[in-house]
Amino acid sequence: MSATAVPIPAGIRSRFPSLEQTVHLAACSIGPRSTAMDEALAAMLDDLSRPGFWSAAEEQVTDARRRFARLIDAHVDQVAILPNVSVAAHQAVSSLRWRRRRDLLTTTAEFPGVAHVWLAQENRGARVRWCGPRAGRVSSTDYLRAITTDTALVSVPAVTHQDATRLDIRRVTDAAHAAGAAVIVDAYQAAGVMPLNVDALRCDYLMAGTGKYLLGLPGIAFLYARHPNGPAPALTGWLGRIDPHAFDATRLDFPAHARRLETGTPSVSAAYAAVAGLSLIEDLDLTAVREHTQRLLACAADRLTRQGEVVDLARSVDERGAHLTLREPRAWAMAAWLEDQGIAVAPRRGVVRIAVHAYTDAGDIDALCDAIAKYRIKSRSGTPIGASR
């Protein structure tokens, strides 16, 4: 742990006063409110009331870029700022020509906002290939078996969004590069709860956003490009210029760094919040955070299983992200009832996702398990679930 790192979870938990009223187990969907975010948004409003607001906002964007680059051990000129990972994915893939190599390898476990961008490339000549089972966990081995000399791009989530499968990115990138393919990583479900080093991963692109474990707001995504001075992207905007402030409508020039991939003005509030969230993450030892989250997940899985719940958690700790899934046909009803009890989870079709972070403690897990046991009693007794108070 570094000299500036805070204890887990006590030190970081004190920065989230909202946790005094709410058990927040939904960071795989949205992070909780923090004092840092409150202060950042208050600062934004103060800046808005004074001359020079746009300069202040641009400084926040620059700071967010710098902090994210440091988080993943990249150079700041390798990081572009975009509104979401769908746009980031498009920017990474739009310059590919899909001629001799046509295959874009992905998985049905890919987040739809990324997978749909890949499917749209079929209109440009790409051929999307799916690896792994249609239902069930995808594995790194599934990717290794599917990579061929026809593969142009391999898209691999660092952690899958539904069942939190953590994939071995380095194995996949080594195999892909050996076959002559590039690799793009969606790290949205990984950034902020585990170490990420792009040189160690050897990926060509990496995407992440600020609205989940990075403890900011939706509206900002980062795109790392190992070699940013490539072909011009199909989509651009005024920030993708060598000198955006030249405001020259007649000149389309691209800088020799990742900002060539940028488009228009990003969400200003999300930029302020991104700096706040990243500042919190910087105070943490992410190796310790990962160990902490894995202990909590193991505890939650054990207790829920003993209560009779069906829990989906990878067998190996190395294959786990920072959430688990509880199988529940009426996932939205359970999540709504838990919300009424002051517990935030993240439902999806047929599952309730339970996410932990550095601020989560054992008391949160106890509160969740007790509430689910109470929910089951009410369900079996025929008590209307909505009548919980």
Side-chain angles (χ1 to χ4, degrees):
M1 183 176 292
S2 68
T4 59
V6 299
I8 298 173
I12 188 71
R13 191 176 177 91
S14 65
R15 304 184 187 187
F16 296 86
S18 60
L19 299 182
E20 295 177 7
Q21 292 82 37
T22 301
V23 175
H24 193 92
L25 298 170
C28 58
S29 179
I30 186 70
R33 178 179 174 180
S34 67
T35 53
M37 183 186 294
D38 287 356
E39 291 165 1
L41 296 180
M44 181 194 71
L45 294 177
D46 286 343
D47 289 341
L48 186 59
S49 67
R50 294 192 292 265
F53 171 70
W54 283 114
S55 294
E58 288 176 344
E59 289 173 6
Q60 293 293 312
V61 173
T62 297
D63 196 9
R65 187 198 318 277
R66 182 170 54 245
R67 289 174 186 268
F68 183 76
R70 189 160 58 231
L71 178 71
I72 63 171
D73 289 314
H75 190 277
V76 68
D77 283 347
Q78 293 175 302
V79 175
I81 289 186
L82 295 157
N84 52 62
V85 295
S86 295
V87 176
H90 174 81
Q91 294 300 80
V93 77
S94 66
S95 62
L96 291 181
R97 295 295 176 255
W98 310 110
R99 290 173 182 163
R100 186 176 66 84
R101 292 173 177 263
R102 295 183 53 209
D103 288 355
L104 195 165
L105 180 62
T106 184
T107 169
T108 56
E110 189 89 78
F111 184 70
V114 175
H116 294 168
V117 175
W118 302 156
L119 287 171
Q121 303 311 304
E122 293 189 327
N123 292 330
R124 301 179 53 241
R127 180 171 51 207
V128 174
R129 296 180 59 232
W130 308 93
C131 72
R134 287 277 174 173
R137 292 183 180 276
V138 66
S139 70
S140 305
T141 302
D142 292 327
Y143 272 93
L144 301 183
R145 290 170 177 164
I147 294 169
T148 73
T149 54
D150 290 325
T151 307
L153 181 69
V154 177
S155 175
V156 53
V159 174
T160 58
H161 73 103
Q162 177 137 320
D163 60 16
T165 299
R166 180 173 179 250
L167 294 159
D168 190 334
I169 302 299
R170 177 61 179 269
R171 286 183 68 203
V172 175
T173 54
D174 284 349
H177 290 164
V183 175
I184 184 167
V185 175
D186 178 2
Y188 216 137
Q189 295 288 346
V193 281
M194 60 188 69
L196 291 172
N197 181 303
V198 288
D199 285 335
L201 296 176
R202 293 187 179 175
C203 54
D204 300 282
Y205 298 96
L206 181 140
M207 309 176 291
T210 56
K212 304 185 191 300
Y213 295 106
L214 287 180
L215 307 177
L217 290 173
I220 288 285
F222 301 102
L223 174 61
Y224 157 82
R226 179 170 294 278
H227 304 292
N229 190 18
L235 179 66
T236 192
W238 75 285
L239 290 179
R241 306 285 69 77
I242 290 175
D243 178 12
H245 291 102
F247 296 111
D248 185 349
T250 68
R251 183 175 176 80
L252 187 66
D253 54 11
F254 291 88
H257 48 69
R259 276 170 284 176
R260 70 194 281 114
L261 300 168
E262 295 185 3
T263 55
T265 306
S267 166
V268 172
S269 58
Y272 278 79
V275 172
L278 286 164
S279 69
L280 291 172
I281 297 299
E282 286 175 348
D283 284 345
L284 299 170
D285 178 338
L286 290 182
T287 298
V289 170
R290 174 154 176 78
E291 293 170 352
H292 173 71
T293 59
Q294 296 312 303
R295 285 193 296 269
L296 290 174
L297 289 177
C299 177
D302 177 67
R303 181 167 172 188
L304 289 169
T305 300
R306 285 190 283 109
Q307 289 180 196
E309 302 296 336
V310 179
V311 173
D312 191 4
L313 185 66
R315 291 183 180 179
S316 168
V317 173
D318 289 340
E319 296 175 345
R320 297 174 185 171
H323 73 268
L324 59 77
T325 56
L326 184 153
R327 295 185 192 175
E328 170 52 47
R330 301 181 69 240
W332 296 99
M334 175 184 276
W337 190 86
L338 289 172
E339 181 181 341
D340 198 39
Q341 313 304 305
I343 301 173
V345 293
R348 287 289 184 267
R349 183 187 300 176
V351 299
V352 171
R353 298 181 300 166
I354 299 163
V356 295
H357 206 317
Y359 51 73
T360 313
D361 65 16
D364 294 332
I365 302 303
D366 289 341
L368 171 76
C369 295
D370 289 345
I372 290 176
K374 183 178 179 182
Y375 176 86
R376 293 303 185 200
I377 291 172
K378 286 182 173 291
S379 298
R380 288 192 292 269
S381 68
T383 303
I385 295 300
S388 57
R389 289 183 177 176

